[in-house]
């Protein structure tokens, strides 16, 4: 299916492209799009994995956010129903919209079907998962798979809310593709049997606490279900993921999931997001790097630079301790040993 | 590179060649760094303009972001009240790891400012910290105007007169020439 969309790509774009290089670019953009699509799907699936572990703890706090976004989504529901059919067609025909289009992070909502196909998989998945949860609420028996979707919902919504607002605007549009990408993942659940019970637990907790929510969601079921792609649907866009591909995802899930959780924690704690010396963003290693007792934090590059010359902490002007210099050499273990040194010295003083 | 350094360490005779070679890699990262220096200065400019601190301002000269012109106003209830001083800030290529050179462009009768406008301020020399920025520099200078360090003056006449605030105020006003631009 990948090859299909790629080979098709240059043909619709031919009117746009005046020379061969442009065709090439379109081709590349189609590939790029496919990559993004895959990445998004992985990300989204990883949320499911995280959810299966942490749904109980996070369920409550995420609920409010979820509530909010649900309202937003509901408001856009009508528009979405209208848009849906349009986007099916445009997406299946033209995976090869102009390169710029596919490169736009989350550009104009109404601009193009292919756009939504690439970029909004993640956000739209939250939407489709909502529909899943609602249906799970009212007809629990038959649609157990969709409870998994609900399990991932809380966590995903938290992430989605943290994203830029324009993501919100675009949420409804890609729904058709997503519900289709969802359907393979539903069947995928059978392989995942171990995670299912926990997920249903999470859902049970949700439904118990928020009956109003599910009640509100009920009316949407019909609209969403009619739009969902089935794996054997004739109009199913070629660029959509197939089941075989998704099977490989769970392996990578853990990694993504763990990355996601500390991120949200950091934002809650209000840790500095950029180095006060060079103003570059702190990466994951930097943000767990505590070079000085005074609490002044900086990125590893600037720290190294200061050690080469002045050797004093910019925050308190005291020389960096020597053992910390050594620990700094091994970046991975560095932050940890520094922290240990810190607590030790605090104990010694008190 | 590592071999060169080791060679240098082992044989003092080769030291001159070694230092010449080792100077290059020191310069090389500086060239790369200039991008981050630019970023930092641009961010500082933004922060300074957004901060809205009263009595201080600074802006890069026409086409050189490494050279800024700043102004500070004398703090109320000090002998410098009502006066305004223009300064030049010149940032080194390894800023913020080394402090900018700050000079008064407007004559300032102050114990820690000499007649050429050079300024003696510890945080711009040995006590510089890369966590300082233009804003904190200007605020520091502003507060130093009202609280000079008499013990190590550049302008001994001003230091002697400091104890007599009324007379000092008269001299400040007499010598003060508002910055033209």
């Amino acid at each position: 299916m990948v090859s299909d969309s790629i080979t098709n790509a240059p043909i619709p774009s031919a009117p746009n492209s005046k020379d061969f290089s442009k065709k090439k670019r379109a081709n590349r953009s189609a590939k790029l799009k496919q990559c993004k699509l895959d990445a998004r799907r992985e990300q989204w699936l990883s949320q499911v994995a995280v959810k299966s572990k942490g749904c109980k703890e996070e369920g409550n706090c995420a609920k409010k956010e979820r509530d909010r976004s649900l309202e937003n989504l509901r408001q856009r529901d009508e528009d979405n129903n209208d848009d849906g059919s349009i986007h099916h067609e445009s997406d299946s025909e033209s995976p090869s919209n102009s390169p710029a289009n596919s490169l736009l992070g989350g550009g104009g909502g109404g601009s193009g079907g292919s756009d939504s196909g690439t970029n909004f998989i993640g956000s739209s998945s939250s939407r489709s998962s909502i529909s899943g949860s609602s249906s799970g609420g009212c007809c629990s028996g038959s649609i157990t798979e969709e409870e998994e979707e609900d399990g991932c919902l809380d966590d995903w919504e938290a992430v989605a809310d943290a994203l830029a607002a324009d993501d919100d605007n675009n949420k409804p549009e890609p729904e058709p593709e997503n519900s289709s990408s969802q359907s393979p993942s539903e069947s995928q659940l059978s392989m995942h049997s171990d995670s299912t019970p926990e997920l249903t637990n999470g859902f049970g907790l949700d439904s118990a606490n928020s009956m109003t929510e599910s009640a509100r969601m009920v009316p949407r079921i019909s609209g969403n279900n009619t739009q969902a792609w089935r794996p054997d649907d004739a109009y199913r866009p070629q660029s959509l993921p197939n089941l075989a591909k998704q099977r490989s995802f769970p392996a990578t899930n853990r990694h993504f999931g763990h990355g996601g959780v500390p991120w949200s924690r950091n934002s809650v704690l209000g840790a500095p997001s950029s180095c006060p010396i060079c103003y570059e963003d702190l990466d994951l290693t930097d943000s767990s790097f505590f070079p000085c007792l005074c609490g002044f934090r900086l990125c590893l590059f600037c720290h190294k630079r200061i050690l080469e010359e002045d050797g004093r902490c910019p925050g308190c002007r005291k020389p960096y301790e020597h053992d910390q210099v050594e620990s700094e050499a091994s970046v991975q273990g560095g932050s940890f040993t520094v922290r240990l040194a810190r607590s030790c010295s605090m104990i010694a003083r008190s | 590179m590592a071999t060169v350094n080791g060679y240098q360490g082992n044989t003092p005779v080769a030291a001159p060649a070694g230092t010449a070679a080792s100077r290059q890699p020191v310069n090389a990262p500086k060239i790369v760094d200039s991008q981050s220096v630019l970023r930092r200065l641009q961010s500082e400019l933004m922060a300074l303009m957004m901060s809205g601190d009263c009595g201080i301002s600074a802006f890069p000269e026409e086409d050189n972001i490494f050279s800024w012109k700043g102004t500070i106003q004398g703090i109320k209830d000090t002998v410098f009240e009502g006066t305004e001083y223009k300064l030049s800030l010149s940032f080194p290529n390894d800023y913020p790891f080394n402090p900018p050179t700050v000079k008064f462009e407007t004559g300032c009768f102050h114990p820690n400012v000499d007649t050429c406008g050079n300024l003696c301020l510890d945080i711009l020399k040995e006590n510089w910290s890369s966590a300082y920025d233009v804003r904190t520099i200007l605020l520091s200078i502003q507060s130093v105007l009202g609280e000079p360090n008499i013990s190590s003056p550049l302008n001994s006449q001003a230091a002697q007169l400091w104890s007599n605030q009324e007379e000092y105020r008269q001299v400040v006003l007499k010598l003060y020439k508002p910055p033209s631009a």
Side-chain angles (χ1 to χ4, degrees):
Chain A
M1 52 120 201
V2 178
S3 60
D4 268 356
S5 62
I6 290 168
T7 46
N8 285 343
I11 300 166
S13 70
N16 295 337
S17 57
K18 286 168 186 172
D19 55 32
F20 186 66
S21 69
K22 274 194 179 175
K23 275 188 195 175
K24 262 189 172 177
R25 220 188 305 153
N27 206 340
R28 216 177 304 138
S29 81
K31 278 182 194 168
L32 182 72
K33 229 170 20 150
Q34 189 56 43
C35 288
K36 280 186 180 176
L37 205 116
D38 291 346
R40 282 286 177 141
R41 209 186 313 117
E42 278 188 43
Q43 234 174 349
W44 173 68
L45 281 171
S46 75
Q47 298 295 337
V48 179
V50 171
K51 200 57 223 167
S52 70
K53 288 180 187 169
C55 55
K56 287 181 185 175
E57 303 138 32
E58 292 171 13
N60 283 332
C61 32
K63 196 156 297 140
K64 291 173 189 170
E65 288 179 306
R66 180 183 164 187
D67 238 338
R68 233 183 297 131
S69 57
L70 271 174
E71 285 179 5
N72 292 341
L73 289 170
R74 233 160 55 90
Q75 289 169 357
R76 287 188 213 104
D77 201 25
E78 289 92 353
D79 317 32
N80 185 39
N81 285 344
D82 297 340
D83 290 345
S85 56
I86 298 166
H87 285 293
H88 296 192
E89 291 165 8
S90 61
D91 196 64
S92 56
E93 282 176 11
S94 61
S96 68
N97 268 7
S98 68
N101 211 351
S102 63
L103 289 173
L104 275 174
S111 62
S114 77
D115 201 2
S116 60
T118 8
N119 296 319
F120 308 135
I121 286 294
S123 51
S124 63
S125 73
S126 74
R127 187 196 157 81
S128 53
S129 61
I130 289 167
S131 73
S133 71
S134 60
S135 53
C138 56
C139 33
S140 55
S142 57
I143 322 182
T144 42
E145 321 88 44
E146 298 195 355
E147 289 176 5
E148 180 194 14
E149 303 307 319
D150 184 67
C152 94
L153 172 62
D154 289 343
D155 196 37
W156 172 258
E157 286 294 334
V159 176
D161 267 22
L163 291 174
D166 59 343
D167 239 13
D168 257 344
N169 300 335
N170 295 316
K171 253 182 199 177
E173 303 217 9
E175 194 208 346
E177 296 92 1
N178 267 291
S179 19
S180 66
S181 74
Q182 178 190 351
S183 54
S185 75
E186 283 166 11
S187 38
Q188 176 209 4
L189 184 86
S190 53
M191 314 178 321
H192 254 314
S193 56
D194 55 331
S195 64
T196 316
E198 289 168 76
L199 290 171
T200 38
N201 276 349
F203 176 72
L205 195 146
D206 276 349
S207 62
N209 287 341
S210 59
M211 286 307 290
T212 52
E213 227 178 80
S214 53
R216 256 194 283 148
M217 289 185 294
V218 170
R220 293 174 55 246
I221 302 170
S222 57
N224 283 314
N225 279 352
T226 52
Q227 287 182 8
W229 291 108
R230 291 172 185 282
D232 55 343
D233 200 316
Y235 290 100
R236 186 172 187 265
Q238 293 169 332
S239 59
L240 282 176
N242 63 12
L243 192 54
K245 245 196 160 173
Q246 292 208 337
R247 286 211 172 115
S248 61
F249 288 143
T252 54
N253 280 349
R254 301 285 153 102
H255 174 72
F256 278 104
H258 284 296
V261 174
W263 171 75
S264 59
R265 272 196 205 130
N266 273 351
S267 67
V268 169
L269 284 177
S273 60
S274 63
C275 171
I277 309 301
C278 63
Y279 290 16
E280 299 279 350
D281 290 341
L282 293 177
D283 64 22
L284 207 64
T285 318
D286 294 330
S287 49
S288 56
F289 177 53
F290 298 89
C292 186
L293 299 178
C294 74
F296 187 86
R297 301 174 64 181
L298 69 174
C299 73
L300 287 160
F301 286 109
C302 290
H303 182 244
K304 184 173 183 297
R305 181 76 188 262
I306 287 170
L307 286 178
E308 284 168 0
E309 296 181 15
D310 188 34
R312 291 183 301 172
C313 169
C316 62
R317 290 212 205 85
K318 285 178 188 152
Y320 281 121
E321 284 171 30
H322 191 62
D323 55 339
Q324 287 168 5
V325 175
E326 285 168 0
S327 71
E328 187 262 348
S330 63
V331 173
Q332 280 298 330
S335 59
F336 193 63
T337 45
V338 167
R339 258 194 260 194
L340 282 179
R342 201 176 163 194
S343 56
C344 284
S345 59
M346 281 170 77
I347 290 163
R349 272 174 206 175
S350 65
Chain B
M1 198 45 243
T3 55
V4 172
N5 280 340
Y7 190 63
Q8 181 194 348
N10 289 335
T11 60
V13 183
T19 47
S22 67
R23 215 169 273 153
Q24 264 185 336
V26 173
N27 286 339
K30 273 181 187 170
I31 293 163
V32 179
D33 275 351
S34 74
Q35 204 60 35
S36 71
V37 179
L38 273 180
R39 170 198 279 262
R40 156 117 187 187
L41 286 171
Q42 281 163 354
S43 307
E44 279 195 31
L45 180 60
M46 286 285 269
L48 187 68
M49 291 173 77
M50 302 302 277
S51 70
D53 290 300
C54 67
I56 62 164
S57 68
F59 204 79
E61 280 185 280
E62 288 146 25
D63 52 355
N64 184 6
I65 200 169
F66 285 89
S67 174
W68 292 32
K69 295 285 185 220
T71 56
I72 57 174
Q73 291 166 3
I75 301 175
K76 201 168 177 286
D77 296 327
T78 69
V79 291
F80 295 99
E81 180 180 349
T83 57
E84 186 178 282
Y85 299 92
K86 198 170 168 187
L87 302 113
S88 68
L89 299 94
S90 147
F91 297 91
N93 287 329
D94 55 358
Y95 180 80
F97 299 101
N98 277 308
T101 307
V102 182
K103 276 187 77 172
F104 274 85
E105 304 234 306
T106 313
C108 180
F109 184 68
H110 188 274
N112 303 119
V113 180
D114 72 9
T115 48
C116 300
N118 295 310
L119 172 70
C120 182
L121 189 58
D122 60 344
I123 65 155
L124 291 175
K125 296 194 168 71
E126 70 274 8
N127 279 335
W128 168 252
S129 157
S130 46
Y132 289 135
D133 55 16
V134 174
R135 183 174 159 271
T136 52
I137 290 170
L138 292 178
L139 287 173
S140 300
I141 295 174
Q142 192 184 36
S143 73
V144 160
L145 281 185
E147 298 163 25
N149 178 5
I150 306 292
S151 59
S152 64
L154 283 176
N155 184 337
S156 53
Q157 192 197 349
Q160 281 168 9
L161 198 61
W162 183 257
S163 54
N164 187 344
Q165 289 282 290
E166 270 185 33
E167 203 175 324
Y168 196 101
R169 169 78 176 163
Q170 295 305 314
V171 176
V172 166
L173 292 179
K174 195 178 122 195
L175 295 178
Y176 177 66
K177 288 172 192 156
S180 52

